Amino acid sequence: MLIRPSDPLTSSETTPESMYLNRREFLAAAGILGAGLVAGAAPRPAGAQDPQAVGKPFGLQSDDKPTPWKDVTGYNNFYEFGTDKSDPAEYAKGFVPRPWTVQVDGLVAKSGQFQLEDFLKPSVVEDRIYRHRCVEAWSMVIPWRGIMLADVLKRAQPTPAAKYVEFTTLHDAKRMPGQRSGVLQWPYVEGLRLDEAMYPLVLLATGVYGRDLPNQNGAPLRLVVPWKYGFKGIKSIVRIRLVDKQPRNTWNLSAPQEYGFYSNVNPEVDHPRWTQAKERRIGEFARRPTLMFNGYKDQVASLYSGMDLRQNY
Ligand code: MTE
């Protein structure tokens, strides 16, 4: 995904709060109320793989098949553990993602520091199968396990001044050897507009294939926003902060002419160095056409009505 200097991004518009969807209304509208949910299921310990426990597909096409475990967990981007696709699986082996503290703060009525278990406990753990599209024009289909980010945000009670959510990865070069290099600015940071963050498709994932997240996939907690390029899916999150200004995000800091804030999957807006019109599904030979918003257009297009998506890439 590397790198050249360039122009700063222009500012963007925000969507009114009235566009938030109520979770049950959304699930009912999407026709999946109850279908892909494992109400009250407790997170499974690593080692208890049970693909049968994984819920039904969510917004998939008929020819979308879950990508095999070995690719989901062996072909990764996680620069804290190296820049090759096979590096994270190898160099994150010794990473111990427990105990883990998550800080929720900024423009909220209820800030706090939580042990991971307490952070997760009040929420419903769900299994959802999503398309996963990397900006490098490869894709997968991943059975995630996680909780809805909206649930966490509602509990924190954002103040009226809160417009964006900023996420931060652990910064600890002793545990994450890639942070000893200057390949990116550390810690890795990401952001969403508050209404995007509240959208019920957005997960804080704790697992894949019914197991706890392997370290290389962002243990113990990572973001999943299925209509955006994969780099928005920040891994190993330690902080969730509500803010009033658009946060910077790591790939935008690194190469702003190539990576924007919105990063919605869009086959009509090419990356400056390659086309986004097609993608290589890992495990397939022929490339397939990329879908607008990664196939989630019906659900999320209204979040961006009136915005120029070429400008706001
Ligand atoms: N999060 C952190 N902290 N560090 C990273 O290097 N890489 C991003 C994103 N989250 C990255 C990260 C990129 S570029 C992609 S495509 C996805 O993670 C890859 O997720 P996966 O390895 O689970 O497929």
Side-chain angles (χ1 to χ4, degrees), residues 167-226:
F167 305 86
T168 309
T169 292
L170 177 70
H171 194 186
D172 184 345
K174 287 203 193 77
R175 297 166 71 192
M176 295 181 146
Q179 290 180 343
R180 292 174 215 154
S181 88
V183 65
L184 291 174
Q185 287 183 39
W186 311 111
Y188 197 100
V189 287
E190 254 307 335
L192 293 172
R193 222 171 50 195
L194 181 56
D195 60 330
E196 297 179 308
M198 292 293 288
Y199 202 76
L201 283 174
V202 181
L203 295 182
L204 282 173
T206 58
V208 287
Y209 270 106
R211 302 172 68 160
D212 279 358
L213 273 182
N215 292 338
Q216 60 269 32
N217 293 84
L221 192 71
R222 61 88 60 84
L223 185 67
V224 176
V225 190

Side-chain angles (χ1 to χ4, degrees), residues 1 71-72 75-82 85 88 132-136 138 140 142 144 168-170 176 179 184 186-190 208 213 216-218 222-223 229-237 250-251:
M1 295 181 57
D71 296 320
V72 172
Y75 190 87
N76 300 100
N77 278 328
F78 198 175
Y79 279 25
E80 284 84 340
F81 295 102
K85 297 288 180 271
H132 179 66
R133 171 60 157 78
C134 180
V135 76
E136 297 162 332
W138 52 265
M140 299 190 187
I142 302 187
W144 297 107
T168 309
T169 292
L170 177 70
M176 295 181 146
Q179 290 180 343
L184 291 174
W186 311 111
Y188 197 100
V189 287
E190 254 307 335
V208 287
L213 273 182
Q216 60 269 32
N217 293 84
R222 61 88 60 84
L223 185 67
Y229 291 118
F231 70 84
K232 298 296 283 184
I234 179 172
K235 297 177 168 183
S236 303
I237 295 167
T250 289
W251 280 102

Side-chain angles (χ1 to χ4, degrees), residues 110-125:
K110 298 199 164 174
S111 60
Q113 284 214 338
F114 306 91
Q115 284 305 308
L116 182 68
E117 294 70 22
D118 300 329
F119 175 81
L120 298 174
K121 206 180 286 163
S123 298
V124 176
V125 178

Side-chain angles (χ1 to χ4, degrees), residues 38-56:
V38 181
R44 232 163 256 265
Q49 182 170 14
D50 179 8
Q52 299 306 318
V54 170
K56 290 200 179 135

